[in-house]
RNA sequence: GCGGGUGUAUUUCAGUGGUAGAAUGUGACCUUCCCAAGGUCGAGAUGCGGGUUCGAUUCCCGCCACCCGCACCA
């Protein structure tokens, strides 16, 4: 029996991973806040991504574009129109349909005539106003994707870092979509974070680059701790692809509620650069250093949703152990992304010498590792269970022998097995 | 956004037209020589706003949030 979404939501709340936004006022649909453990988990995922795709490569350039941009960006990209579909609703069958999909006054779902209401504007982009006046000219949008921030900086990057082809831009940042109906916890959100790459290639090299990125993405899923057999590559058929894309792969994950997109890999051609070149009147061509003809690069776009990764990880890590006694719930997170790497306890709370020694070890590890927790609450079993539930891979217990021979008990989250380790060998043992 | 359901403590749940209880978690103290032991004391809730009523957590209305379907997902 797999884990239910409710188990995850409840654990996330109870242990301080994820809270509904502004919960004391009743929350806000499609928006969630990260608590101490949640933000640690999220940062660890982001750092792993950043290290995998940016710092460990020499063809990647990081950047961070602002959320607010000139609205012409969205006119050129097609979002201003594509995100603005007039919709009508049938008063008979309650279907809601795009007006441009309807022919005449007949409802295409139930077939009744004259049941369609007045068209209503649906805009997926959040609007705001820049400057003190609120009029048409002051409208700005919260970006619905981070990608455009990279395309509109393409010229700046060419001019300042003179990259060799092929090269990529990478960015982690918030994006906002005014979803009609946010659903399924962190799956469909109105405010979310994306990790995106725009990888620029010569037009005849796109297939090769696409394949390399496909493999790199699979590698990343593995590294971050998602089981391979819960991830499925879906070749998006032509009729479902954006018209400019010759190929798109959705990486789908088996969520408890449905199997759906976790990340995407799209070939965008030169659609974006071409649009921005035309709309801005600026020359966005790449000029090869060997003096050959300038050209507009084509783009491969690997795109990850941070919250979907967080959710997929919590689901994958959630484990139950039915051994002796009560069932044990633990999060089998890879040590690299677990919010707490190691917890330190005195075996007994009322023995000052044990507590002092445990605090000493805690301080030492805190300096070295950082993600360390000290706990002397209740009894040793409770502390193990508590750490299990937040995914801490290791616990260290100071007992009376520790005072004599400077060894500690190292206990594993996954096996509950224990071994003795010397204090000065702990950090070696944990890495 | 539509239809249906739900909303009581951190969580999981009881319950009542006369201002609420459990389990669990949690804080303090005691106890405890390795897997949620035990004891004492403590903090902690009726989503928000109206209405009906002498009195509403309970009934009605609106809003908000969540769940299930539908639609949407560039």
């Amino acid at each position: 029996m797999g884990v239910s979404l409710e188990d995850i939501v409840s654990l996330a709340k109870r242990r301080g991973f994820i809270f509904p936004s502004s919960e004391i006022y009743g929350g806000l649909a499609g928006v969630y806040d990260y608590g101490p453990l949640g933000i640690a988990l999220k940062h660890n995922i982001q750092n792993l991504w950043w290290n995998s795709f940016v710092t460990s490569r020499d063809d990647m350039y990081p950047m961070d574009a602002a959320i607010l941009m000139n609205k012409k960006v969205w006119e050129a990209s097609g979002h201003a129109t594509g995100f603005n579909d007039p919709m009508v609703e049938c008063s008979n069958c309650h279907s809601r349909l795009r007006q441009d999909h309807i022919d005449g006054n007949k409802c295409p779902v139930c077939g009744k005539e004259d049941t369609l209401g007045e068209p209503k504007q649906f805009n997926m982009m959040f609007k705001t106003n820049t400057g003190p006046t609120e009029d048409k000219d002051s409208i700005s949008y919260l970006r619905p994707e981070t990608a455009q921030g990279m395309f509109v900086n393409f010229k700046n990057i060419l001019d300042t870092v003179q990259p060799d082809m092929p090269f990529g831009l990478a960015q982690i940042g918030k994006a906002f979509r005014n979803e009609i109906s946010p659903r399924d916890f962190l799956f469909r959100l109105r405010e979310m974070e994306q990790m995106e790459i725009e990888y620029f290639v010569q037009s005849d090299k796109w297939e090769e680059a696409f394949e390399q990125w496909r493999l790199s993405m699979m590698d990343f899923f593995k590294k971050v701790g998602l089981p391979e057999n819960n991830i499925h590559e879906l070749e998006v058929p032509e009729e479902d692809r954006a018209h400019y894309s010759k190929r798109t792969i959705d990486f789908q994950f088996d969520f408890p509620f449905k199997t759906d997109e976790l990340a995407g890999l799209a070939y965008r051609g030169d659609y974006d650069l071409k649009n921005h070149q035309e709309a801005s009147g600026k020359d966005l061509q790449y000029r090869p250093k060997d003096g050959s003809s300038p050209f507009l690069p084509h783009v491969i776009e690997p795109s990850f949703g941070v919250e979907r990764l967080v959710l997929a990880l919590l689901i994958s890590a959630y484990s139950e152990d039915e051994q002796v006694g009560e069932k044990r719930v633990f999060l089998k997170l890879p040590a690299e992304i677990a919010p707490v790497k190691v917890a330190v306890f005195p075996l007994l709370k009322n023995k000052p010498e044990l507590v002092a020694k445990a605090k000493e070890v805690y301080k030492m590890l805190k300096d070295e590792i950082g993600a360390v927790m000290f706990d002397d609450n209740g009894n040793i079993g409770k502390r193990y269970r508590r750490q299990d539930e937040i995914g801490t891979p290791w616990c260290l217990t100071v007992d009376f022998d520790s005072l004599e021979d400077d060894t500690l008990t190292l206990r594993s989250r996954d096996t509950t097995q224990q071994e003795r380790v010397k204090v000065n060998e702990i950090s070696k043992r944990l890495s």
Side-chain angles (χ1 to χ4, degrees), chain A residues 45 48 218-228 230-231 253 309 312-318 332-337:
Chain A
I45 293 169
L48 184 65
M218 284 307 283
D219 273 355
F220 176 76
F221 295 134
K222 203 171 164 185
K223 256 198 287 188
V224 84
L226 295 173
E228 274 173 279
N230 287 337
I231 294 179
F253 179 79
L309 281 172
L313 267 166
L314 289 175
I315 289 160
S316 304
Y318 190 94
K332 208 168 175 172
L333 294 167
E336 195 177 0
I337 65 159

Side-chain angles (χ1 to χ4, degrees), chain A residues 5 8 50-51 108 116 141 224 272 274 317 328 334 341 394 421:
Chain A
L5 191 60
I8 299 295
W50 197 256
N51 291 336
L116 300 174
Y141 298 98
V224 84
D272 301 278
K274 195 192 263 173
R328 183 174 75 105
K341 302 278 180 278
W394 304 106
V421 295

Side-chain angles (χ1 to χ4, degrees), chain A residues 260-272:
Chain A
D260 209 329
E261 187 178 353
L262 176 65
L265 176 61
Y267 169 48
R268 297 177 75 127
D270 61 357
Y271 176 80
D272 301 278

Side-chain angles (χ1 to χ4, degrees), chain A residues 258-418:
Chain A
K258 64 181 164 181
T259 295
D260 209 329
E261 187 178 353
L262 176 65
L265 176 61
Y267 169 48
R268 297 177 75 127
D270 61 357
Y271 176 80
D272 301 278
L273 288 179
K274 195 192 263 173
N275 280 344
H276 288 304
Q277 177 163 270
E278 277 169 20
S280 68
K282 303 285 192 288
D283 181 1
L284 301 184
Q285 294 183 101
Y286 179 82
R287 289 170 197 285
K289 289 168 187 172
D290 64 6
S292 54
S293 319
F295 61 90
L296 219 45
H298 283 220
V299 173
I300 307 292
E301 181 188 72
S303 173
F304 301 75
V306 177
E307 282 78 11
R308 287 186 183 183
L309 281 172
V310 169
L311 180 57
L313 267 166
L314 289 175
I315 289 160
S316 304
Y318 190 94
S319 310
E320 290 182 353
D321 194 347
E322 301 281 356
Q323 291 179 356
V324 254
E326 266 181 284
K327 114 182 149 182
R328 183 174 75 105
V329 170
F330 62 110
L331 291 185
K332 208 168 175 172
L333 294 167
E336 195 177 0
I337 65 159
V340 179
K341 302 278 180 278
V342 57
V344 182
F345 318 137
L347 179 60
L348 298 174
K349 185 187 187 176
N350 61 352
K351 298 289 184 286
E353 63 275 28
L354 293 185
V355 175
K357 176 78 177 171
K359 283 201 166 145
E360 196 184 296
V361 173
Y362 164 74
K363 276 187 188 128
M364 180 194 90
L365 292 173
K366 189 82 183 154
D367 287 343
E368 279 180 42
I369 299 175
V372 184
M373 195 178 272
F374 178 86
D375 192 359
D376 64 0
N377 198 298
N379 60 54
I380 189 77
K382 278 193 182 183
R383 297 177 214 147
Y384 285 148
R385 296 302 179 90
R386 196 175 330 191
Q387 295 301 326
D388 284 344
E389 209 176 27
I390 64 173
T392 306
W394 304 106
C395 293
L396 284 167
T397 299
V398 171
D399 59 20
F400 293 99
D401 292 341
S402 310
L403 303 174
E404 308 290 321
D405 62 6
D406 229 29
T407 64
L408 307 161
T409 302
L410 178 67
R411 180 262 195 187
S412 153
R413 171 197 68 199
D414 298 340
T415 64
T416 75
Q417 296 298 303
Q418 307 183 351

